[in-house]
Amino acid sequence: MLTYSPNHSSRLPVATEKPWLLLLLAFVWLWPGIIGHTPWKPNEPYVTDVVQQFVAGGHWMLPTVAGQPYVEYAPLYYWLAAMLAKLLSPWLLPLHDAARLATPLFMGLALTFAGGIGRELIGRRHGRSVVLILIGSLGLIVTGHEMTPVVAGFAGFAGALYAMVLTRRAPAMAGALLGAALVMVFLSTNLLQLLLIISVALTLPAFTSWRNKNYAITLSMALLFALPLLLVWPLALHKNYPQVFDLWWQHYALGPLQGFGRLGLFHEFGYYPKLVLWYAWPAWPLAAWALWKNRRYELPMLQLPLLCFAVVLLLLTFSSRSQSEDAIVLLLPLSLLGAVELDSLRRGAASFLNWFGLMAFGFFALLVWAGWAAMNFGWPERLARRAEYFSPYYTPQVSGLAVALALVATVLWLWAVTRRHLRGRQAVTNWAAGLTLFWGLLLTLWLPFLDAAKSYQPVVANMMRSMPTGDQCVAVEAPERLARVSWRYFAGLQLRAFVPGQSMPCRLWLLVRDPRERKLPAGWDVRWQGSRGRDKNEQFVLLQKQG
């Protein structure tokens, strides 16, 4: 047994929340933006193409985009997304919506594990606190609703930490879970993320609480369970597609550090510390309060999240990549730390957090409602003109179901934030409810508007109307994979890729360029040009060969 037992239960305040209401809040948080829109940049068009190839009969071990290997991430997320797409598309949902259902499944699993960690490590009712802080974190709201393998890796990461704390009462079960989590992390992300989890697991025995027989059993079981499964995908890829395996090994196996062929080290100095200030709000101030209040770092409830945070931050510091989604794994240890002293948070701090959330999310909710009225009914007039400027392809449309859900969510939020006897737990609950309200309103009332601005579908449709009759041969430069997957998905048009400098395979050329470029290739006439609404970095020009 671990030598530590949580002792917070005895000094918990009287419960005022209903557990089923907190579960309902977490469930509601999972769903806004999951269905009802086309694939959006940066990852969704590529994930959709991978899923489409799997559904069409592509080999299970080889993700491809535009016919080329796509091994930036291992294929677990794609497998589940393809299974859902094959099961539910097209009779119930479009392929992209069916595939995106993999995201709430993985995120639901991650939240379940996070709650388990809080209960096992900190004490009774603290699992809820961890989940509330997690879903209230600003950085999780976007990534946690995208079609991306990152969410599967996050679920595996949460499962691994849960297994490490479960070892004190069920070491064999914890070992099996840790092994499964290691496999999930590797098959969703890369070797470096796997080594991160292994590093945390092997370093924990440096602390007395984990230096015991139970933890040794857990590690042994995890190794026996995981090792054979970890080898299946890379060995199968090496056997059937050795060149693709070499590509993965040399350039992508280490994720943020690229691959073994050339390590990518160091990014813009200070990117992640600055990112955490907003990305992990309000988790990091709550974590700082817990560390200030508990200066006895021999407590396991501080040791595990601190060790985990340090290892992840060290990895990110050395990486050459500066992407916000890479920081998602920082949210879990910060949320765990934040939950430790949540119930002892001073009333003034709790009131400030509650007031700040009330003002911010109340203002944004009002703005969403006003924007919805402007884009659909033309009032307020000035706001309507701005809406038309940002999403020129949008046509007014009102969904009765969306409006009803938005009204119910708004009323429930107003009820929630008027409660008295505010403490830290209630303040965090109100914050999470406010963020969920804002995201829910945005991704119900504004979803058609946002889709018209972010989707490539209207761009593709406009170009197809400008195509000459009978000529379906359109060339595009080989590196423009996004154009190739978008035109194939939305129009069924297979663009012909060519290497710049080689002979042109078609009389039509889809040129992708920066809108600020004015000069066009000689010998070509412009037949059509367009871009997504207000996209200042990307323009599509359909050229037709002269003569």
Side-chain angles (χ1 to χ4, degrees):
M1 293 285 288
L2 293 179
T3 60
Y4 164 78
S5 297
N7 59 2
H8 274 43
S9 300
S10 60
R11 55 189 178 94
L12 285 176
V14 177
T16 58
E17 321 96 328
K18 304 295 183 184
W20 68 268
L21 284 176
L22 299 180
L23 289 173
L24 179 62
L25 175 61
F27 179 79
V28 170
W29 181 92
L30 290 171
W31 292 101
I34 295 299
I35 61 175
H37 68 86
T38 57
W40 291 349
K41 289 178 68 176
N43 296 312
E44 293 196 341
Y46 301 123
V47 176
T48 302
D49 198 60
V50 172
V51 170
Q52 194 174 30
Q53 299 312 304
F54 277 157
V55 171
H59 201 290
W60 64 272
M61 74 181 69
L62 182 62
T64 60
V65 168
Q68 298 298 314
Y70 186 70
V71 287
E72 293 184 18
Y73 293 97
L76 178 62
Y77 182 91
Y78 308 135
W79 292 341
L80 180 58
M83 289 173 57
L84 292 167
K86 201 161 189 176
L87 182 65
L88 301 174
S89 175
W91 68 275
L92 182 61
L93 293 171
L95 182 139
H96 53 268
D97 278 347
R100 202 182 289 112
L101 291 176
T103 292
L105 292 179
F106 279 119
M107 284 305 305
L109 188 62
L111 295 180
T112 301
F113 285 140
I117 300 168
R119 182 176 180 85
E120 294 286 336
L121 188 63
I122 308 172
R124 185 176 62 87
R125 286 171 40 206
H126 283 284
R128 311 175 204 171
S129 303
V130 175
V131 172
L132 286 170
I133 296 172
L134 199 54
I135 66 175
S137 298
L138 297 180
L140 193 64
I141 195 71
V142 175
T143 305
H145 294 87
E146 288 183 326
M147 194 191 318
T148 171
V150 171
V151 298
F154 183 65
F157 181 81
L161 293 190
Y162 178 56
M164 293 176 202
V165 300
L166 187 63
T167 186
R168 68 189 187 91
R169 65 178 180 87
M173 182 186 299
L177 178 58
L178 180 58
L182 291 174
V183 173
M184 180 181 291
V185 168
F186 173 62
L187 288 180
S188 306
T189 54
N190 48 68
L191 277 173
L192 195 64
Q193 300 288 347
L194 174 65
L195 293 175
L196 184 156
I197 295 294
I198 293 175
S199 298
V200 173
L202 294 180
T203 309
L204 273 178
F207 304 118
T208 305
S209 299
W210 273 275
R211 196 159 56 241
N212 51 63
K213 181 180 178 181
N214 276 9
Y215 194 68
I217 293 173
T218 295
L219 291 183
S220 301
M221 287 286 296
L223 181 64
L224 291 173
F225 185 89
L227 189 58
L229 297 177
L230 288 171
L231 297 175
V232 171
W233 179 68
L235 288 180
L237 188 65
H238 183 269
K239 179 181 178 181
N240 293 275
Y241 301 96
Q243 292 182 334
V244 178
F245 176 84
D246 289 341
L247 173 70
W248 173 75
W249 184 261
Q250 297 293 326
H251 297 283
Y252 301 110
L254 295 178
L257 296 184
Q258 298 181 14
F260 291 97
R262 182 175 65 88
L263 289 177
L265 296 174
F266 302 112
H267 55 276
E268 173 193 350
F269 179 76
Y271 173 82
Y272 287 104
K274 289 185 291 186
L275 176 73
V276 165
L277 292 178
W278 70 265
Y279 193 86
W281 178 274
W284 73 262
L286 296 173
W289 164 252
L291 293 177
W292 185 86
K293 193 87 173 1
N294 285 283
R295 302 175 190 179
R296 298 165 54 210
Y297 296 127
E298 72 275 11
L299 296 176
M301 63 182 177
L302 299 180
Q303 291 170 345
L304 176 62
L306 277 174
L307 175 63
C308 182
F309 180 81
V311 171
V312 174
L313 191 60
L314 183 65
L315 157 68
L316 294 178
T317 300
F318 278 99
S319 71
S320 63
R321 198 164 68 186
S322 51
Q323 294 181 1
S324 60
E325 64 182 22
D326 287 338
I328 189 174
V329 289
L330 287 173
L331 296 177
L332 187 54
L334 287 174
S335 297
L336 288 169
L337 286 172
V340 170
E341 290 294 340
L342 182 60
D343 291 309
S344 69
L345 189 67
R346 291 176 179 172
R347 192 175 297 275
S351 298
F352 171 77
L353 178 62
N354 187 66
W355 173 85
F356 182 59
L358 177 63
M359 293 296 102
F361 296 125
F363 171 76
F364 287 130
L366 184 61
L367 183 62
V368 170
W369 275 109
W372 172 79
M375 69 182 67
N376 288 291
F377 303 109
W379 184 89
E381 185 177 351
R382 185 175 179 182
L383 198 56
R385 289 197 300 269
R386 297 301 294 172
E388 185 177 359
Y389 171 81
F390 282 108
S391 188
Y393 295 118
Y394 176 70
T395 56
Q397 49 188 294
V398 177
S399 166
L401 177 61
V403 173
L405 291 174
L407 283 171
V408 170
T410 304
V411 171
L412 288 176
W413 177 74
L414 289 172
W415 167 78
V417 298
T418 55
R419 295 180 299 171
R420 298 180 180 180
H421 309 298
L422 191 73
R423 299 182 67 90
R425 189 182 295 261
Q426 288 76 36
V428 169
T429 302
N430 289 351
W431 176 274
L435 184 60
T436 304
L437 170 73
F438 167 65
W439 186 254
L441 291 181
L442 192 68
L443 272 298
T444 51
L445 297 177
W446 282 35
L447 188 59
F449 173 85
L450 294 172
D451 195 37
K454 295 172 68 67
S455 174
Y456 285 92
Q457 189 171 22
V459 181
V460 173
N462 283 346
M463 195 210 78
M464 295 302 295
R465 287 193 288 268
S466 300
M467 290 272 290
T469 304
D471 192 350
Q472 296 292 304
C473 184
V474 182
V476 70
E477 293 182 356
E480 302 296 344
R481 292 192 300 179
L482 186 57
R484 292 162 65 189
V485 301
S486 297
W487 262 259
R488 181 171 62 187
Y489 187 68
F490 292 121
L493 179 65
Q494 188 77 40
L495 299 178
R496 299 279 296 276
F498 72 97
V499 177
Q502 294 184 352
S503 60
M504 185 70 63
C506 304
R507 291 183 58 80
L508 295 173
W509 175 12
L510 181 63
L511 177 64
V512 184
R513 66 171 190 169
D514 190 310
R516 290 165 291 192
E517 295 179 14
R518 298 299 178 187
K519 188 176 181 180
L520 291 170
W524 296 84
D525 295 324
V526 176
R527 190 172 183 94
W528 167 88
Q529 59 183 357
S531 64
R532 296 184 304 156
R534 317 321 310 167
D535 192 332
K536 298 180 180 179
N537 300 311
E538 184 182 59
Q539 183 184 47
F540 300 95
V541 183
L542 182 63
L543 302 174
Q544 186 170 20
K545 195 171 184 65
Q546 295 175 350

